[in-house]
Amino acid sequence: MERETEHEAATESAPSRLPGATGPLSFATVPTGAAIDLQRALGNARTARVLRRPDGGRVSLAVATGRLHAAREEVRRRAPPQRRYRLPTPSELKSLATGGLIPEATVEEAIRTALRRMDADWELRTSADDVMKTLFPKPGVFDESAWSTVLGTSQRTVYQSVADAEAKLRPGDLAKLKDVAQEAADTIDKCMADDAGLQAVFGKQAKTAKGRYAKAKAALLKAIADSDNAIDTDYNRDDPQVGLGGWANFASQHIHLTGNVAEVKDRDEAIITLIHESAHLSHNDVDDRGYYGSDGFEAMSEPDKVGNAAHYEELPRRLLGKSRYATATFTPGQTAGGKAVTFEDHVRRDASEYLRKAWDRAVDVHGFVRGTARDILGGAKVFDARKPKLLEISKVEHLTIHAQQPQPSTVTVLDAVLSEGVARGTARIMRLGPKQPMPTSTDRAAAVTQLIDSAIADYGALLGNRAEERKLMDWLVAGYRTGF
Ligand SMILES: [Zn+2]
């Protein structure tokens, strides 16, 4: 797995350029979940027209639901037949809004959480509580004109495509990607020929690293040759929502690429990503143990480095002029500046790994929740078998599954957007980690815990309750790579 590139991360502070700038809207409510999908499909102006009502602004949820249903049908009529939508079914939408499946207070609390996350992402015009009062002036009624005010904060939509989040490569992209993959393979050849470079990065593990480079290259070319089965991408641009830069699985020899990489928006970035992901395909031991540039990256032990996909980026980055390390040689226990690793370096590295694992797991949990919602919409009877796990997730991530009446029976789009929000929040917290001041504690474990708490508080919108947030983060880390 790889996080989004820093290039993309850096744009996060500029909301107008955020790849998924319209995404947070999908958090807000179930009818709004539909509204955001409409927005993606039709564009802002058309969505505003679809949602505009002639009755002064206040309609019941049932009326709004009916309008969204009609609008959704319009999207369906206008779209190419192969396209699919992550919209709730009309019956699901209706039952959520009016049918009492989820207690009203739970729905409102979920929306409040989502609004706080929106506020943390890009400034809301008022506080979350004010928006709540405006959106829900009284029980069972929501104010559409107030809603369009919130929609109006996101005029510059970038979320144009409604293609599926796990799609085969388009022929034009595949041709470009084949070309880039060949260049990645040639780059790997150069790295393998660079014995001094291999020694400088991997030390005593240089020979093992060289062997893995060879396997990575073979696996990459094999995957490209069988791209319909071995590679998929995210034309829906869901990945930027959760900070994902791609992933690869050794057992299945499968690679998932972000839309930007699949479309080769940046050639060097695509080469580096392909090498990172194909390193995962070289050996079961090549995992993620610290992303490129993370705290303590250059000081890691040799067994850790040879088992860390991001370390296979360093030699290619040097060839491309994209290395961040001034030093030519990585020495275990030494920083790039040549100094011995300090207490602070250890604390920062420990916290960095904790935050990375929490995010990685949150992305996997979201994939499980979203996939289950999709399976159920497709008619698959999967809920009962997955129920224990779903209830566990729902409680700790503050979704709404466990609150369903008379008993939990399904996964709604509201849960999918809430779990997306947790994954997105953990991505934000991971990036805030290195920016936290060093805690004062002289005990390593205590200092790590303080640093983690500080990053969680800095984001401030994961769940809205610090103790619950830390419990959630610990739960995510404990579940890292445990499957479902
Ligand atoms: Zn990875």
Side-chain angles (χ1 to χ4, degrees):
M1 196 179 250
E2 190 170 25
R3 66 177 171 188
E4 260 183 302
T5 60
E6 290 304 312
H7 167 68
E8 285 167 329
T11 65
E12 281 223 313
S13 56
S16 62
R17 295 171 55 217
L18 185 63
T22 66
L25 290 170
S26 66
F27 296 140
T29 178
V30 173
T32 306
I36 186 60
D37 285 323
L38 282 173
Q39 194 182 20
R40 288 173 193 166
L42 294 174
N44 280 313
R46 284 189 57 78
T47 303
R49 279 204 298 280
V50 164
L51 293 177
R52 189 174 298 139
R53 73 282 99 198
D55 48 14
R58 283 183 191 180
V59 296
S60 69
L61 285 168
V63 171
T65 301
R67 286 184 188 156
L68 286 162
H69 178 198
R72 194 191 107 181
E73 288 306 314
E74 184 180 347
V75 174
R76 202 174 249 166
R77 276 199 305 278
R78 294 161 51 86
Q82 73 275 20
R83 289 203 174 161
R84 286 182 282 156
Y85 303 93
R86 285 170 34 205
L87 292 183
T89 62
S91 59
E92 188 186 7
L93 196 58
K94 193 174 176 185
S95 68
L96 279 173
T98 62
L101 174 70
I102 305 166
E104 208 168 283
T106 306
V107 174
E108 291 204 9
E109 193 48 40
I111 295 169
R112 195 180 296 274
T113 298
L115 286 168
R116 285 203 194 96
R117 289 178 188 153
M118 280 171 71
D119 206 13
D121 259 30
W122 31 280
E123 302 290 310
L124 277 177
R125 291 174 185 184
T126 60
S127 77
D129 285 344
D130 289 342
V131 172
M132 281 299 290
K133 280 187 208 128
T134 319
L135 285 178
F136 293 90
K138 55 184 177 180
V141 173
F142 97 109
D143 183 334
E144 281 186 277
S145 64
W147 180 252
S148 65
T149 304
V150 178
L151 276 174
T153 60
S154 173
Q155 284 301 319
R156 299 173 213 84
T157 176
V158 201
Y159 225 96
Q160 301 290 346
S161 170
V162 290
D164 200 32
E166 288 171 8
K168 290 180 181 179
L169 289 162
R170 296 173 186 139
D173 291 337
L174 181 58
K176 274 189 285 182
L177 198 66
K178 273 185 176 160
D179 188 50
V180 173
Q182 188 56 55
E183 195 172 337
D186 294 345
T187 304
I188 290 176
D189 280 339
K190 285 181 200 152
C191 298
M192 288 170 63
D194 180 7
D195 284 329
L198 287 165
Q199 183 69 36
V201 174
F202 296 99
K204 290 187 195 69
Q205 296 288 331
K207 209 177 142 189
T208 305
K210 189 172 177 172
R212 289 182 180 176
Y213 265 128
K215 286 188 176 149
K217 178 188 156 185
L220 173 62
L221 294 176
K222 196 174 165 197
I224 289 284
D226 183 29
S227 66
D228 266 6
N229 296 312
I231 299 179
D232 66 28
T233 188
D234 164 40
Y235 287 127
N236 203 32
R237 296 300 197 268
D238 284 26
D239 292 339
Q241 292 294 315
V242 296
L244 187 60
W247 54 262
N249 182 268
F250 175 76
S252 61
Q253 292 285 298
H254 189 93
I255 300 178
H256 174 84
L257 299 172
T258 65
N260 279 352
V261 172
E263 292 173 358
V264 193
K265 297 277 191 210
D266 179 316
R267 197 170 171 86
D268 288 350
E269 196 180 302
I271 290 169
I272 291 164
T273 301
L274 286 174
I275 293 174
H276 176 110
E277 302 307 347
S278 58
H280 284 306
L281 303 185
S282 71
H283 193 283
N284 199 22
D285 180 55
V286 181
D287 202 335
D288 294 312
R289 298 165 200 267
Y291 287 121
Y292 193 81
S294 60
D295 287 322
F297 182 80
E298 72 279 24
M300 279 165 64
S301 75
E302 286 167 354
D304 275 352
K305 286 190 291 190
V306 82
N308 185 34
H311 275 86
Y312 293 82
E313 295 177 32
E314 175 60 6
L315 291 179
R317 283 176 177 274
R318 288 181 188 180
L319 288 167
L320 295 165
K322 293 282 166 74
S323 171
R324 285 196 201 177
Y325 296 97
T327 182
T329 303
F330 287 4
T331 308
Q334 260 186 34
T335 65
K339 296 197 187 88
V341 167
T342 62
F343 175 76
E344 174 167 354
D345 293 325
H346 282 302
V347 168
R348 290 196 176 276
R349 159 87 182 147
D350 290 353
S352 167
E353 278 296 274
Y354 174 100
L355 297 178
R356 180 185 64 76
K357 287 177 180 175
W359 166 74
D360 186 301
R361 179 63 175 175
V363 171
D364 283 352
V365 167
H366 173 55
F368 179 71
V369 171
R370 185 181 68 184
T372 301
R374 183 185 300 155
D375 290 347
I376 290 171
L377 282 178
K381 302 255 181 292
V382 296
F383 185 83
D384 285 348
R386 300 181 193 173
K387 187 171 165 183
K389 202 74 203 176
L390 289 167
L391 294 184
E392 182 189 350
I393 293 167
S394 181
K395 283 174 194 160
V396 74
E397 289 205 345
H398 293 198
L399 312 185
T400 64
I401 303 166
H402 64 285
Q404 288 172 11
Q405 301 167 329
Q407 69 262 326
S409 58
T410 189
V411 178
T412 71
V413 69
L414 183 57
D415 301 309
V417 295
L418 286 168
S419 74
E420 181 178 83
V422 169
R424 183 168 180 75
T426 55
R428 297 283 304 251
I429 292 167
M430 175 169 65
R431 290 199 182 103
L432 289 168
K435 296 179 181 141
Q436 302 311 307
M438 180 60 188
T440 50
S441 175
T442 52
D443 176 74
R444 180 163 163 180
V448 170
T449 251
Q450 284 170 16
L451 205 150
I452 291 163
D453 285 341
S454 173
I456 294 169
D458 195 1
Y459 174 58
L462 192 59
L463 296 172
N465 171 311
R466 290 298 100 83
E468 293 283 298
E469 289 172 345
R470 183 60 198 254
K471 204 174 98 189
L472 165 57
M473 294 289 281
D474 287 346
W475 175 82
L476 289 169
V477 171
Y480 176 69
R481 300 287 164 89
T482 56
F484 293 95

